[in-house]
Amino acid sequence: MEIITPSAGAVVALEPVVSLGRGMPVPRTTARAMSLLEANCSAPHALAVAGGTAAVFSCPSPGKETPNEDAAMVVELTPQHAVLVVADGLGGHASGEHASRLAIQSLRQALLPLEIDPQDTNADALRWAILAGIEEANRAVLELGTGAATTLAVVEVQGPTVRPYHVGDSEILITGQRGRVKLQTICHSPIGYAVEAGLIAADDAIHHEERHVISNVIGSATMRIELGPAVTLAARDTVLIASDGLFDNLLQQEIVDGIRTGPLHEALSGIVTEARRRMIEPREGLPSKPDDLTVVAYRRK
């Protein structure tokens, strides 16, 4: 299964994939997948997925000469079932981009053989495949033996219902059209837990010097998967998954205000443009941290 690696400005559509059935190649007309690895996109790419629209963007930190360590993937298994993924390879660790790539590939390989009834919007098989894919990703990264690691944030889509899974500090956010936050994952870090406990305000935490100390990663013998609650999306609700390149440069309310209305790809373009601007042109009192930036957004019709 070939991974699509777009260059700067590339437009990439979901591609039909082929799985094995009874020892023979069998065309799968319903399963489609797109992966962004070491990508440098100039604008978000929008595509129709599982009864809604997805928009995907990934680019390296401004001025960075080494590869983009983030990766993203959208997999559509049926017209009602999809999986959305963002992985952020840990900077400063050996082969961060290799770890995020392995995480994406492990999930892809776990998901594509699935045969799901399009009418079943509570398919346990999809959940087990995601969990198995994450476990395999952890095993594969550990086997590198280089100290490589990555975060991983995953959203399953089953009809109008979505469910988050995550390891690390790449965040998942669900907001309504009027700006009500319906779900936000807790970063697996001391600062993330302090925010959740009310010990640190979220707007203060974004400037904390220990914000990026992470307590849970893919590539650890003690890795754990946090499985969140199922959330039923109302019309125009938006799901956003992003590496910390977004959440380190925009406050939560800025992200919500920017993503909740308008065509999804335009809304995503607006927030990633502003995040990149802050990386390049720091302004007093506003967050600014150059980093790789990857976002997957989904909105059900």
Side-chain angles (χ1 to χ4, degrees):
M1 296 172 228
E2 183 178 358
I3 300 293
I4 302 166
T5 308
S7 58
V11 175
V12 184
L14 286 178
E15 294 289 343
V17 298
V18 174
S19 65
L20 296 179
R22 297 185 181 180
M24 298 178 63
V26 177
R28 293 276 306 274
T29 58
T30 56
R32 303 182 298 162
M34 181 189 77
S35 300
L36 271 63
L37 306 174
E38 300 179 21
N40 187 8
C41 300
S42 60
H45 177 60
L47 53 157
V49 174
T53 301
V56 189
F57 178 85
S58 185
C59 71
S61 180
K64 184 179 179 181
E65 296 182 359
T66 54
N68 181 356
E69 293 177 296
D70 289 356
M73 180 173 67
V74 175
V75 177
E76 183 185 69
L77 296 164
T78 81
Q80 294 293 322
H81 298 83
V83 178
L84 320 171
V85 189
V86 167
D88 179 357
L90 269 62
H93 287 244
S95 304
E97 73 278 7
H98 197 178
S100 62
R101 176 188 289 265
L102 276 176
I104 293 293
Q105 291 174 334
S106 296
L107 271 167
R108 182 182 172 103
Q109 291 166 4
L111 292 167
L112 292 180
L114 284 178
E115 297 285 354
I116 299 175
D117 180 353
Q119 304 306 314
D120 182 0
T121 54
N122 189 29
D124 288 339
L126 179 54
R127 298 189 188 101
W128 285 113
I130 292 170
L131 293 169
I134 296 173
E135 291 279 7
E136 175 58 24
N138 192 57
R139 185 200 62 76
V141 174
L142 276 170
E143 283 192 353
L144 290 174
T146 62
T150 183
T151 70
L152 191 62
V154 181
V155 171
E156 93 182 29
V157 180
Q158 298 210 47
T161 302
V162 299
R163 186 186 297 271
Y165 306 69
H166 78 287
V167 178
D169 67 349
S170 291
E171 296 188 46
I172 301 168
L173 179 72
I174 302 176
T175 181
Q177 189 176 18
R178 296 183 179 181
R180 182 169 74 88
V181 174
K182 298 186 174 183
L183 180 140
Q184 183 173 22
T185 52
I186 301 167
C187 292
H188 293 159
S189 67
I191 298 304
Y193 298 134
V195 170
E196 177 64 14
L199 301 176
I200 302 176
D203 288 359
D204 294 332
I206 199 170
H207 301 286
H208 199 284
E209 61 182 7
E210 295 184 359
R211 177 175 173 83
H212 299 289
V213 176
I214 306 175
S215 57
N216 187 31
V217 293
I218 299 289
S220 167
T222 58
M223 184 275 296
R224 65 181 179 83
I225 304 166
E226 183 165 339
L227 172 60
V231 177
T232 300
L233 300 181
R236 309 296 297 170
D237 282 358
T238 302
V239 179
L240 181 142
I241 316 169
S243 63
D244 55 10
L246 183 71
F247 288 96
D248 281 351
N249 290 283
L250 296 180
L251 301 175
Q252 182 193 85
Q253 193 59 51
E254 294 178 307
I255 295 170
V256 170
D257 289 343
I259 200 67
R260 65 188 176 88
T261 59
L264 186 60
H265 70 285
E266 293 181 9
L268 180 54
S269 180
I271 63 172
V272 298
T273 297
E274 181 58 26
R276 294 271 293 175
R277 181 180 295 117
R278 291 191 185 174
M279 293 182 196
I280 298 168
E281 302 173 357
R283 285 180 282 175
E284 186 175 355
L286 294 176
S288 174
K289 182 182 180 296
D291 201 354
D292 300 336
L293 173 60
T294 298
V295 187
V296 176
Y298 171 80
R299 184 182 293 158
R300 192 164 176 83
K301 295 178 182 178

